[in-house]
């Protein structure tokens, strides 16, 4: 990939209390990757990769154990299991790809479609459990993981609490409106916490939601 921009030695990248996003986030991620590539040996990298594999494997195993204990008919249906895990992997790959291209657009990925789909085909409890699992997995790759966890879990809960007849367009639009409203309120609250106020509010970021 071509390089873009230069950072002078001893130059200040970001001020204290300033939100880490956009170009500054990419600069910090680049510096972090450069530092890790210089300090991490192959053995350390392999151990790190093994750790991630174990954590993700544990999360997916918990979902399988949940299905085996509470949805035994799904556990013995390979097609239904494949459908659930395919959707989880799909949103994981989409999010990881967006983060790699530009982490600013991470909220464009409609992760809340997962509990919506699982709820429509199966039930609400499995939808919420699947949503929590995928959010925990994605928290390893997204920036500001605490903010991402809170926003996505709140939006997922709103999705599960929506009406049952989600296939009807009216109910679907109402659910989407509630999800977007939760995103707006949560992001506003996080911005107030990080900045100690609402000055400099970036309205264009709301378009991502």
């Amino acid at each position: 990939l071509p390089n873009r921009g230069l950072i002078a030695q001893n130059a200040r990248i970001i001020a204290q209390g300033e939100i880490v996003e956009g170009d500054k986030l990419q600069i910090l991620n680049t510096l972090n990757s450069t530092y890790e590539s210089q300090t991490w040996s192959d053995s350390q990298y392999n151990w790190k990769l093994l750790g991630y594999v174990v954590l993700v494997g544990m999360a997916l195993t918990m979902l399988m154990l949940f299905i085996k204990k509470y949805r035994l008919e799904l556990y013995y249906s390979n097609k239904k299991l494949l459908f659930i895990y395919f959707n989880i992997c799909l949103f994981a790959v989409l999010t990881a790809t967006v983060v790699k291209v530009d982490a600013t657009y991470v909220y464009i990925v409609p992760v809340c479609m997962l509990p919506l789909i699982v709820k429509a085909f199966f039930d609400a409890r499995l939808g919420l459990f699947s949503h929590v699992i995928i959010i925990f997995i994605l928290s390893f790759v997204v920036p500001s993981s605490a903010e991402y966890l809170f926003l996505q879990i709140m939006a997922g809960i709103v999705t599960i609490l929506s009406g049952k007849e989600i296939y009807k367009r009216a109910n679907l639009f109402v659910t989407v409106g509630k999800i977007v409203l939760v995103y707006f309120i949560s992001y506003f609250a996080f911005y107030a916490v990080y900045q100690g106020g609402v000055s400099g509010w970036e309205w264009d970021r709301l378009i991502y939601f």
Side-chain angles (χ1 to χ4, degrees):
L1 293 177
N3 296 325
R4 185 180 69 179
L6 297 173
I7 303 298
Q9 186 176 3
N10 298 324
R12 185 177 71 175
I13 298 174
I14 193 166
Q16 183 177 3
E18 186 177 352
I19 288 185
V20 181
E21 59 185 6
D23 291 338
K24 294 181 178 180
L25 175 61
Q26 287 196 353
I27 293 173
L28 292 177
N29 286 336
T30 301
L31 291 175
N32 182 57
S33 299
T34 304
Y35 174 77
E36 288 185 350
S37 65
Q38 293 174 348
T39 57
W40 282 70
S41 65
D42 291 340
S43 176
Q44 290 173 315
Y45 176 80
N46 291 334
W47 278 109
K48 183 178 181 180
L49 180 62
L50 176 62
Y52 279 129
V53 170
V54 170
L55 292 174
V56 172
M58 285 179 61
L60 296 177
T61 301
M62 290 301 131
L63 176 59
M64 182 65 73
L65 292 176
F66 175 86
I67 294 174
K68 183 178 181 180
K69 184 173 180 62
Y70 296 104
R71 298 292 181 271
L72 195 59
E73 70 282 2
L74 297 182
Y75 181 77
Y76 290 108
S77 174
N78 293 331
K79 291 183 179 180
K80 293 179 180 179
L81 286 178
L82 179 62
F83 177 79
I84 295 173
Y85 277 90
F86 171 79
N87 280 280
I88 291 177
C89 293
L90 175 64
F91 286 106
V93 171
L94 284 175
T95 304
T97 303
V98 170
V99 170
K100 188 174 182 179
V101 173
D102 190 345
T104 307
Y105 301 107
V106 65
Y107 288 107
I108 288 181
V109 182
V111 180
C112 282
M113 282 185 62
L114 177 63
L116 207 61
I117 293 172
V118 176
K119 177 185 175 181
F121 282 92
F122 304 108
D123 62 85
R125 186 160 62 164
L126 180 58
L128 180 59
F129 200 89
S130 302
H131 183 66
V132 171
I133 292 297
I134 185 63
I135 296 305
F136 280 148
I137 294 175
L138 294 180
S139 65
F140 294 129
V141 298
V142 300
S144 304
S145 57
E147 174 185 324
Y148 185 84
L149 274 170
F150 185 87
L151 264 68
Q152 296 292 9
I153 288 179
M154 290 299 104
I157 292 175
V158 170
T159 304
I160 296 302
L161 293 177
S162 60
K164 293 183 178 179
E165 297 178 336
I166 202 66
Y167 56 87
K168 294 183 178 180
R169 280 185 294 179
N171 293 340
L172 180 60
F173 280 111
V174 169
T175 301
V176 171
K178 291 178 181 178
I179 292 172
V180 174
L181 181 61
V182 168
Y183 277 137
F184 283 1
I185 295 175
S186 301
Y187 181 72
F188 172 83
F190 272 104
Y191 191 93
V193 169
Y194 291 152
Q195 294 295 312
V198 293
S199 58
W201 173 268
E202 299 180 4
W203 291 98
D204 58 330
R205 286 187 61 83
L206 300 182
I207 299 175
Y208 303 153
F209 300 131

